[in-house]
Amino acid sequence: MDPKFIRNFCIIAHIDHGKSTLADRLLELTGALTQREMHEQVLDSMDLERERGITIKAKSIRLHYQAKDGNTYRLNLIDTPGHVDFSYEVSRALSACEGALLVVDASQGVEAQTVANTFLAAGHNLTIIPVINKIDLPAAQPDIVKEQIETVLAIPAEDALLISAKSGIGVDKVLEAIVQRVPSPKGSVENPLQALIFDSWFDPYRGAVVLVCVKQGRIARRMKIRLCAGDETYEVEQLGTLTPKPIALQELEAGDVGFVIANIKQVADARMGDTIVEAGSSAPPLPGFEAIQPMVFAGLFPVLADDYEPLRDALGKLKLNDASFFYEPENSVALGFGYRCGFLGLLHMEIVQERLEREFGLNLITTAPSVRYRITRVGQEVIEVDSPAKFPNPSDISKIEEPIIKAMIITSDESVGSILRLCQEKRGIQKNFEYLSPTRVMFTYELPLNEIVMDFYDRLKSVSRGYASLDYHLAGYKEADLVKLDVLVGGEPVDALALICHRDHSYERGRELATRLRKLIPRQMFEVPIQAAIGSRIIARETVAAMRKNVLAKCYGGDITRKRKLLEKQKEGKKRMKRVGQVDIPQEAFLAVLKVSSDEED
């Protein structure tokens, strides 16, 4: 097809503003699926995506649309996630497009992810079409939302499309706007092949399946291709596109989006942002996108030691479908053998754990999430530490730097005081404060990442009654006075309960953790002390009282020495038991670390 009749576009928005519903309506209007095949959230194929009502993986679909000018256009639609943890998926999708539909909820207005995704799209020089969704809601305020789009996003909103994706109002105008406003791809079939890989997944029978956007030239079956990053050569076995059902094709030309199967053994070989060129061609690689860096780290351990091998296999299979996930073996004294895993954020961590438990039938313990610290040792050696267990001795540390994020929070003016107090408590530094409208406020804060990974998002939602939205990105490292907080149960340090926190907050954290553990650790036949310590200094202590038999029950009176003799005998027995006794720490105790400080709310 002539590239001037091709349109590559994606849908970007804040979470829950109606991206997937709009994609459903576009599928219906273009006849990609029959009424019988339609169901809600067609492009959200995972059970988790349907249950939570969120998009986790970007999806690409080819549609054909008969426009009012009489021509048939090929529309390549890429649906993207809206949550801040999956912004990497969004940036990959944007690199394969020339235009973007920016969906804004008519009742909620511009949110933090709306702003972030707009900046991402502008950075890729995309044509942005503002779409105001849910105009049929009683709380809809399209005029105010138009004003916000112009003032906050600096996008002209007089020709913003007013639609309701659920009821189908105005959706036909969206298709016309795509045809009229989104530019066609600039590539030519005559040039040497250059195709950008922007997604991949694993097929157990065919190996890695890569999703590509052909920028120049053409790619055909049986053609020898080379992946620029690994310099490996493969033969194309099959080509196709999703409509959303997979359809085999003989070739993909400049401007097309489709999948390539070429017997690539591992997804890791087909890196995101890599370029496919013809074998023997000297065509330069396309500018890719930056390598993904995990931001949050946690340990995953099987509850049963026998599940270690199945966990290793499950992690390997999951990594094949999720390139942003990272893992390495780890050993814990308390929990045995497991894996240290890197995630893009807390929601990503939750999704991965749930997929492992649900799809592979595993029972797992997750340790407290941590971030990657940069430590300069006394001899000026710089190391990166992502686990409290790897923290060096305090006497060997010259300085500690922690990752800092730049956070953008948009909320209603009623909850400004509560949010400012929360950011202050989390050691935030205010950088900007502005009113977007008489009732909506935008803050920009610099916050330590380790303060966000515990409970920041939940508390932000509760103090703002669900109205605040958050977007953040890494902004470098800053020196801080951090300490490793150890937890000792029965005098023995439990490495899985250790955490790294700021010295000013260490006493409250230690006391709170010890109190929680006292309630969770079952009583033994002997007394169990629970201590929080920084180095060799104990900063908090709680005691789990011993279970004891009333040995004086048979003494109805008589000499006190007889009673004392019985009590001393019992005391000796408890001492002997303590020497050989072991404390079994229940699974809930490891989750207590995650909840520390969440009770301090308001």
Side-chain angles (χ1 to χ4, degrees):
M1 183 180 258
D2 189 332
K4 73 176 182 183
F5 296 120
I6 297 175
R7 299 289 183 270
N8 296 331
F9 71 100
C10 61
I11 307 178
I12 55 174
H14 187 77
I15 192 167
D16 206 26
H17 277 207
K19 294 180 302 302
S20 298
T21 313
L22 176 57
D24 288 353
R25 294 295 83 76
L26 296 178
L27 285 169
E28 270 180 7
L29 282 174
T30 53
L33 289 175
T34 63
Q35 202 63 42
R36 188 170 59 82
E37 293 170 311
M38 276 304 294
H39 53 77
E40 280 191 21
Q41 292 173 272
V42 171
L43 302 188
D44 293 345
S45 49
M46 262 187 252
D47 289 343
L48 269 174
E49 291 182 313
R50 294 178 180 288
E51 281 171 29
R52 289 169 176 254
I54 58 173
T55 303
I56 295 167
K57 287 285 284 180
K59 307 288 189 308
S60 167
I61 304 295
R62 178 185 282 192
L63 310 170
H64 287 97
Y65 172 61
Q66 179 88 35
K68 287 180 180 169
D69 61 9
N71 294 313
T72 300
Y73 289 84
R74 182 183 293 166
L75 310 180
N76 291 312
L77 153 68
I78 301 171
D79 182 26
T80 62
H83 194 278
V84 60
D85 280 12
F86 303 112
S87 56
Y88 181 61
E89 291 275 336
V90 179
S91 69
R92 292 192 336 223
L94 293 171
S95 62
C97 300
E98 280 79 40
L101 295 179
L102 177 69
V103 180
V104 184
D105 188 322
S107 58
Q108 302 275 357
V110 170
E111 302 269 21
Q113 272 301 110
T114 319
V115 179
N117 286 341
T118 306
F119 289 159
L120 272 175
H124 284 79
N125 296 320
L126 264 58
T127 301
I128 299 170
I129 303 172
V131 176
I132 299 172
N133 190 19
K134 307 189 188 181
I135 57 163
D136 53 345
L137 290 181
Q141 298 174 308
D143 293 336
I144 291 173
V145 174
K146 275 186 181 181
E147 196 181 309
Q148 286 179 11
I149 290 171
E150 289 195 339
T151 53
V152 183
L153 307 176
I155 296 172
E158 69 273 358
D159 51 358
L161 304 169
L162 301 177
I163 69 159
S164 168
K166 193 153 197 171
S167 58
I169 300 166
V171 179
D172 52 337
K173 291 178 186 161
V174 175
L175 288 164
E176 277 301 315
I178 292 163
V179 168
Q180 301 300 328
R181 297 196 220 168
V182 174
S184 56
K186 294 188 174 60
S188 166
V189 182
E190 307 305 320
N191 293 338
L193 170 66
Q194 284 179 305
L196 180 74
I197 298 175
F198 67 93
D199 201 3
S200 61
W201 63 90
F202 190 75
D203 184 297
Y205 304 105
R206 293 171 167 177
V209 181
V210 293
L211 206 53
V212 299
C213 175
V214 183
K215 298 288 188 183
Q216 301 284 355
R218 60 156 57 90
I219 184 167
R221 288 188 66 189
R222 301 292 161 216
M223 185 179 183
K224 291 273 197 299
I225 57 167
R226 179 169 62 87
L227 301 185
C228 291
D231 210 25
E232 297 285 328
T233 304
Y234 301 95
E235 184 179 315
V236 177
E237 288 183 0
Q238 197 174 343
L239 295 167
T241 189
L242 301 166
T243 67
K245 295 171 287 191
I247 289 178
L249 299 171
Q250 287 304 311
E251 63 177 18
L252 292 170
E253 297 182 337
D256 281 341
V257 173
F259 62 82
V260 177
I261 298 170
N263 200 18
I264 302 169
K265 295 284 193 296
Q266 297 179 352
V267 170
D269 295 341
R271 294 178 207 165
M272 301 301 149
D274 196 1
T275 305
I276 293 178
V277 297
E278 194 170 352
S281 165
S282 58
L286 295 159
F289 18 82
E290 57 192 69
I292 187 65
Q293 293 294 326
M295 292 176 78
V296 175
F297 297 84
L300 286 178
F301 293 87
V303 171
L304 304 171
D306 295 351
D307 281 345
Y308 177 73
E309 293 289 329
L311 174 61
R312 187 185 64 194
D313 297 343
L315 288 170
K317 286 174 184 169
L318 197 63
K319 175 138 179 76
L320 294 173
N321 289 315
D322 188 350
S324 54
F325 170 60
F326 143 91
Y327 68 96
E328 63 181 15
E330 185 182 40
N331 183 17
S332 162
V333 178
L335 298 173
F337 292 100
Y339 288 90
R340 189 85 189 154
C341 303
F343 310 94
L344 299 178
L346 280 186
L347 178 69
H348 188 212
M349 173 178 134
E350 215 176 298
I351 295 289
V352 166
Q353 187 188 351
E354 206 160 324
R355 284 185 70 185
L356 287 168
E357 290 182 345
R358 192 179 289 196
E359 293 173 24
F360 301 98
L362 298 168
N363 202 358
L364 302 172
I365 294 175
T366 311
T367 62
S370 173
V371 298
R372 186 173 273 160
Y373 300 95
R374 199 181 281 161
I375 298 174
T376 307
R377 292 186 133 152
V378 175
Q380 296 308 304
E381 181 198 352
V382 178
I383 57 168
E384 290 195 333
V385 170
D386 58 36
S387 161
K390 298 175 188 170
F391 221 64
N393 198 12
S395 59
D396 191 27
I397 296 172
S398 169
K399 69 171 180 179
I400 304 172
E401 293 170 292
E402 62 180 344
I404 299 291
I405 58 155
K406 196 169 183 184
M408 182 203 305
I409 300 166
I410 296 179
T411 184
S412 62
D413 58 345
E414 295 166 16
S415 46
V416 167
S418 310
I419 292 174
L420 288 174
R421 212 164 35 246
L422 173 63
C423 292
Q424 203 71 33
E425 187 190 313
K426 296 290 186 184
R427 300 190 284 126
I429 298 167
Q430 191 177 310
K431 290 292 178 187
N432 197 9
F433 181 105
E434 61 179 298
Y435 272 87
L436 306 178
S437 73
T439 57
R440 287 174 72 73
V441 183
M442 181 165 82
F443 314 106
T444 309
Y445 259 91
E446 263 188 12
L447 286 153
L449 181 58
N450 71 341
E451 294 287 351
I452 284 224
V453 297
M454 285 292 184
D455 59 348
F456 183 81
Y457 193 70
D458 293 342
R459 289 184 60 187
L460 180 70
K461 285 291 180 189
S462 66
V463 297
S464 66
R465 300 201 297 283
Y467 284 111
S469 59
L470 168 75
D471 179 74
Y472 61 84
H473 59 268
L474 210 54
Y477 280 77
K478 193 180 274 187
E479 194 173 342
D481 185 12
L482 300 171
V483 291
K484 179 186 174 188
L485 184 68
D486 281 310
V487 175
L488 289 79
V489 176
E492 292 293 319
V494 182
D495 55 351
L497 292 173
L499 53 98
I500 297 164
C501 63
H502 197 271
R503 194 182 294 276
D504 294 350
H505 296 172
S506 59
Y507 174 68
E508 288 83 2
R509 287 263 171 96
R511 191 183 58 195
E512 172 76 18
L513 189 51
T515 308
R516 278 182 179 277
L517 290 173
R518 179 175 62 79
K519 295 172 186 168
L520 291 167
I521 291 175
R523 290 172 71 183
Q524 312 289 321
M525 295 302 289
F526 50 90
E527 194 178 78
V528 180
I530 298 165
Q531 298 160 308
I534 296 171
S536 56
R537 186 164 67 90
I538 305 295
I539 59 167
R541 173 183 167 130
E542 292 283 342
T543 306
V544 180
M547 288 192 288
R548 47 186 292 181
K549 180 183 170 188
N550 186 359
V551 290
L552 304 182
K554 59 189 177 187
C555 300
Y556 293 108
D559 190 6
I560 186 69
T561 54
R562 186 168 169 230
K563 293 180 183 176
R564 195 164 286 150
K565 185 180 168 189
L566 287 168
L567 288 168
E568 287 297 326
K569 191 177 175 188
Q570 187 186 38
K571 195 174 170 184
E572 280 300 315
K574 296 281 182 205
K575 255 189 201 167
R576 198 162 52 248
M577 203 174 279
K578 189 175 183 177
R579 273 203 306 274
V580 297
Q582 276 190 326
V583 183
D584 286 329
I585 302 171
Q587 189 175 341
E588 301 82 54
F590 297 104
L591 304 178
V593 186
L594 307 181
K595 297 187 178 78
V596 169
S597 83
S598 59
D599 285 352
E600 299 162 21
E601 233 169 86
D602 299 332

